[in-house]
C-alpha cells in the first residue's frame, strides 16, 4: 500500500474504529493492530484512488461526517447483492465527500454557485409555497424544555435569548439559508424554542443579514382532548406574544393531531363561538397567519379526515 494510503488507513483506525494499538517501538505490532481494524475497501485495489479522493476533501470534512462516509463506503464495498463497479464506487466516494464538505464550500467564492449544495424545493400542497425538502426543526433547539406556561418555573425570556446557545442558533439559521433551507419550524410546547427562534430571526433582520421574505416560519399549538375555544385562544395569545415581532406566521399548525378525539375537538362546531378551527380561520382573516395545517403521528385514515 502507498504511504498515502497507509496514512489514511491509520487515521481511520485510530480516530474512528477505537483500535487497541500497543504503545511502544514495535511498529510491526502497530501495523497488525491497524490492519485488523482497517475498512476493507482501503486495502482493496480501489484503496489508493479512494484515499486520494478522501484526502482531497479531508480538510473540509468534520469527523462525524467522515466516519459516516467511511461506513457507507464499507457497506457498498462488502455488499454482495449490489456489486458496484470501480467507476461507480469512485463516483460514490466523490459525491459523498463533496456533499459532506458543503459548509466550507458555501462561502468559497472560487467555487461556482451551481456547484454548491442547494436543498431542492417542491410545492407545499395548496399553499403554493416552495418548500425545501429538508426542514430546520426546533424541537431540540432550545435553552430549556420548561415552557413559559409553567408558573414560577417558567424561564426568563430575556435571559434565554442572551444564552450561549443563541449565537449558535443565529449561525445555524444563516447556514441553512445559504443552502436554500429556509423553513424554520417550532412549537408552543418546545420549551424556549419558539422564543429563541423568533428572537434570532428578528435580530438577523435588524442586522440587515436577512429579510422577512427570505424564510418560512411555522409554529404549532396543541390541544387537550377537551380544549375549548376560549382556552385555545389563551394558548394562541401566549404564542402571539412571542411571534408577533415577525409580523405574521407563514404556517400555523394544530400540534400532534393523531387521535380521533383530537380531530373531533378541532373540527367540531362549538355552539357559542364556532369552535377552534373557526378561531384559526379568523386569525387568518386578520393576517396573523397565512396558512393553516396540522402535524400528526396518526394513521392514514385519521390524516385523510
Amino acid at each position: 500500500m502507498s504511504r498515502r494510503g497507509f496514512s489514511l488507513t491509520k487515521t481511520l483506525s485510530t480516530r474512528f474504529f477505537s483500535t487497541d494499538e500497543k504503545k511502544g517501538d514495535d511498529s510491526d505490532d502497530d501495523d497488525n493492530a491497524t490492519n485488523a481494524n482497517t475498512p476493507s475497501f482501503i486495502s482493496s485495489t480501489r484503496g489508493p484512488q479512494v484515499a486520494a479522493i478522501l484526502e482531497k476533501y479531508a480538510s473540509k470534512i468534520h469527523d462525524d461526517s467522515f466516519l459516516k462516509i467511511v461506513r457507507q463506503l464499507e457497506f457498498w464495498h462488502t455488499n454482495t447483492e449490489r456489486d458496484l463497479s470501480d467507476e461507480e464506487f469512485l463516483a460514490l466516494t466523490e459525491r459523498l465527500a463533496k456533499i459532506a464538505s458543503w459548509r466550507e464550500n458555501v462561502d468559497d467564492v472560487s467555487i461556482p454557485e451551481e456547484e454548491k449544495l442547494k436543498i431542492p424545493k417542491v410545492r407545499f400542497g395548496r399553499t403554493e409555497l416552495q418548500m425545501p425538502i429538508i426542514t430546520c426543526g426546533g424541537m431540540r433547539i432550545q435553552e430549556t424544555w420548561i415552557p413559559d406556561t409553567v408558573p414560577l418555573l417558567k424561564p426568563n425570556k430575556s435571559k434565554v435569548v442572551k444564552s450561549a446557545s443563541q449565537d449558535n442558533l443565529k449561525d445555524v439559521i444563516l447556514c441553512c439559508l445559504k443552502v436554500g433551507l429556509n423553513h424554520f419550524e417550532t412549537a408552543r410546547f418546545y420549551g424556549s424554542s419558539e422564543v429563541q427562534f423568533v428572537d434570532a430571526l428578528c435580530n438577523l433582520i435588524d442586522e440587515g443579514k436577512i429579510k422577512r421574505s427570505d424564510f418560512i416560519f411555522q409554529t404549532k399549538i396543541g390541544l387537550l382532548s377537551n380544549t375549548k375555544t376560549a382556552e385555545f385562544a389563551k394558548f394562541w395569545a401566549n404564542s402571539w406574544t412571542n411571534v408577533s415581532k415577525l409580523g405574521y406566521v407563514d404556517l400555523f399548525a394544530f400540534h400532534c393531531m393523531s387521535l380521533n378525539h383530537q380531530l373531533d375537538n378541532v373540527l367540531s362546531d362549538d355552539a357559542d363561538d364556532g369552535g377552534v378551527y373557526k378561531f384559526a380561520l379568523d386569525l387568518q382573516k386578520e393576517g396573523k397567519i397565512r396558512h393553516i395545517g396540522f402535524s400528526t403521528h396518526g394513521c392514514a385514515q385519521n390524516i385523510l379526515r
Side-chain angles (χ1 to χ4, degrees):
M1 182 182 295
S2 69
R3 195 67 208 169
R4 172 170 26 201
F6 175 77
S7 174
L8 181 62
T9 296
K10 195 171 185 65
T11 299
L12 291 173
S13 299
T14 56
R15 291 172 66 185
F16 303 130
F17 292 92
S18 301
T19 63
D20 293 320
E21 297 181 68
K22 296 180 180 179
K23 307 299 181 182
D25 297 326
D26 194 341
S27 60
D28 289 337
D29 288 343
D30 285 347
D31 289 347
N32 290 335
T34 299
N35 291 334
N37 291 276
T38 300
S40 59
F41 69 84
I42 287 292
S43 56
S44 71
T45 55
R46 298 167 170 171
Q49 291 172 285
V50 172
I53 293 172
L54 293 179
E55 288 190 343
K56 181 173 66 174
Y57 293 94
S59 64
K60 296 183 176 181
I61 301 177
H62 296 285
D63 286 357
D64 57 341
S65 298
F66 205 72
L67 175 57
K68 291 174 183 177
I69 291 173
V70 170
R71 285 176 171 167
Q72 285 198 55
L73 292 178
E74 183 68 359
F75 169 81
W76 287 111
H77 180 71
T78 57
N79 190 314
T80 57
E81 295 182 6
R82 176 68 170 92
D83 186 19
L84 297 182
S85 66
D86 287 348
E87 182 180 359
E88 290 174 319
F89 194 83
L90 294 174
L92 174 63
T93 305
E94 184 85 34
R95 186 165 69 251
L96 291 173
K98 185 178 292 186
I99 291 173
S101 61
W102 71 268
R103 181 162 184 168
E104 281 66 27
N105 289 342
V106 74
D107 292 321
D108 191 336
V109 295
S110 67
I111 300 176
E113 286 297 318
E114 61 271 16
E115 294 183 13
K116 296 179 181 180
L117 175 68
K118 290 293 182 183
I119 305 298
K121 295 183 178 181
V122 296
R123 180 177 60 84
F124 186 53
R126 298 175 183 176
T127 69
E128 299 298 333
L129 292 172
Q130 287 297 303
M131 179 72 76
I133 62 173
I134 299 175
T135 289
C136 181
M139 183 178 181
R140 303 291 179 181
I141 300 179
Q142 60 345 58
E143 182 69 15
T144 175
W145 267 107
I146 301 174
D148 58 14
T149 55
V150 180
L152 300 179
L153 295 178
K154 64 182 182 181
N156 183 305
K157 293 182 182 181
S158 62
K159 290 184 179 180
V160 164
V161 298
K162 293 178 182 177
S163 63
S165 64
Q166 197 66 7
D167 286 338
N168 186 55
L169 174 55
K170 291 169 67 176
D171 183 51
V172 167
I173 291 171
L174 290 175
C175 285
C176 286
L177 291 174
K178 286 177 181 178
V179 296
L181 199 168
N182 66 333
H183 176 217
F184 303 105
E185 176 267 349
T186 183
R188 180 81 191 103
F189 297 112
Y190 286 172
S192 58
S193 174
E194 189 179 70
V195 174
Q196 292 185 254
F197 249 127
V198 172
D199 182 81
L201 289 166
C202 287
N203 281 343
L204 291 171
I205 292 173
D206 292 342
E207 293 166 6
K209 295 180 179 179
I210 64 174
K211 302 187 296 293
R212 178 62 181 88
S213 57
D214 289 338
F215 61 88
I216 300 168
F217 178 78
Q218 177 176 353
T219 193
K220 310 187 293 291
I221 297 179
L223 288 81
L224 303 176
S225 59
N226 59 347
T227 299
K228 300 298 182 183
T229 307
E231 186 178 5
F232 184 78
K234 293 180 180 179
F235 292 159
W236 164 257
N238 289 331
S239 188
W240 185 243
T241 299
N242 296 332
V243 305
S244 59
K245 291 187 292 183
L246 292 175
Y248 58 90
V249 175
D250 298 274
L251 301 173
F252 170 77
F254 294 104
H255 197 178
C256 200
M257 295 293 103
S258 302
L259 304 176
N260 276 318
H261 68 267
Q262 295 170 318
L263 297 169
D264 291 339
N265 197 26
V266 170
L267 299 176
S268 64
D269 296 328
D270 189 284
D272 297 325
D273 50 32
V276 172
Y277 186 64
K278 181 181 181 301
F279 179 83
L281 289 173
D282 289 341
L283 294 175
Q284 190 177 42
K285 291 176 183 177
E286 294 170 14
K288 293 180 178 178
I289 59 179
R290 296 284 177 88
H291 303 283
I292 303 171
F294 64 95
S295 66
T296 182
H297 299 282
C299 63
Q301 182 178 359
N302 286 349
I303 293 173
L304 290 174
R305 286 185 61 186

